[in-house]
Amino acid sequence: MNPVVETQHQQPKLLISADWFAPGSRAGGPIRSVNLVRLLHDEIKISVLTGDRDLGAAETYPGVVPGAWNDWNGIAEVWYATKGQHYTGAYLRAVAELRPDAVYLNSMFSPSGCILPMLNQLVRPSTRVVIAPRGMLKPSALSTRRWKKTVWLSFLKSTGLAGRVVFHATSEIETDEIRTSFGKNTEVVVIPNAPAVPASEIEPSQKDPGRLRLSFVGRVHPIKNLMFVLRLLRQITFECTLDVIGPIEDSTYHGICKREAEALPSNISVNFLGAVAPDNVASVVSRSHAMILPTLGENFGHAIYEALAIGIPVLVSDQTPWRALDLDHAGWDINLNDPERFAFVLNWLGTMDADEHREWRSGAHQRAVSFQDQYNLKTAYHQMFFSEIPV
């Protein structure tokens, strides 16, 4: 472990609490979301409190020292708590030792990522707390384990805790979800997630009519709706390959999807690639002609943005912030109650040649570039965390 060297001037201090962080990959968006440390590290002293293993893993991450502060790429310090530590005091020790100016909670229902910190805030309110629900207040997310979630949300509201924090929403849709749960006067700051920079240029299109390669990036879980894709593929009569990239989170659902894939006609191939290291996902997706994700709900959709950023058009549901994609020739966002429209687009993609596909690849890339140009994310995040602190 290498100590993180403090700068000579006094920097604001931010403590990020999240169940997963790099080098984890299986939790998907939540991990990439807290990587905003790359954006802010030169002006803020950042510490991250997280677990010592990936989602569903039994072993500690290789190369990290659990129960201690680890240097992360020279720009932040990370405490990889063992499961017992993470639930029984690592957060309290971190707050006492670091005395952060702001705390950023990347969860809504995690015992260690939100519940313990909020209970501490009830007993000893001492710092600015920002909560990122990460899509966990969507109706589709609240429908699972509903009783437990309802009790916790009611507690936050009845004790006034929800009124003592700032909520970070990544879209106006999520703002509505937060205020539906906690009231119209809840303090919400809307800032998009801080994603990777789009590719400087896109690769040439390799698309022949009558052939289609699709990618699906997401956890194998009902909310990502892989079964919807597999049923659509029954209607494809040309050669089509689907690469499924993501960890198995629901083994029963995975088994159902596997059986559905095996029953597809011989012109359809489905490859279950499992969890792929974040740095390698783009290279797999870049081999596809489109990424398909008919998700039941995303508060941002990192996988969608990252496909656009490398010039891969996307075919998604209308339950994400990525809307009107077809107007930019970047992809399609379609209501899940209209599977015929999904099937029509898939068949149209199948007929495309390289020239037509190149136009959609260019539109996808430009949509990601436009997103980056639209927001001054560095200033926006700094103000959200430290607007009451003179810098």
Side-chain angles (χ1 to χ4, degrees), residues 29-44:
I31 292 175
R32 292 190 291 271
S33 297
V34 297
N35 279 350
L36 61 89
V37 296
R38 295 186 184 277
L39 179 70
L40 301 177
H41 74 92
D42 57 342
E43 297 179 357
I44 299 170

Side-chain angles (χ1 to χ4, degrees), residues 21-91:
F21 190 74
S25 61
R26 297 179 183 176
I31 292 175
R32 292 190 291 271
S33 297
V34 297
N35 279 350
L36 61 89
V37 296
R38 295 186 184 277
L39 179 70
L40 301 177
H41 74 92
D42 57 342
E43 297 179 357
I44 299 170
K45 178 176 171 54
I46 301 177
S47 305
V48 180
L49 173 63
T50 189
D52 70 341
R53 61 201 66 191
D54 211 345
L55 175 66
E59 303 296 328
T60 296
Y61 295 121
V64 307
V65 180
W69 290 110
N70 292 245
D71 174 78
W72 188 69
N73 294 333
I75 61 177
E77 56 182 2
V78 182
W79 183 286
Y80 292 98
T82 64
K83 186 173 182 179
Q85 290 176 325
H86 205 205
Y87 281 81
T88 59
Y91 175 82

Side-chain angles (χ1 to χ4, degrees), residues 258-273:
K258 284 281 286 185
R259 289 191 291 275
E260 181 72 19
E262 291 165 358
L264 290 169
S266 59
N267 60 301
I268 308 295
S269 300
V270 180
N271 305 314
F272 287 86
L273 303 181

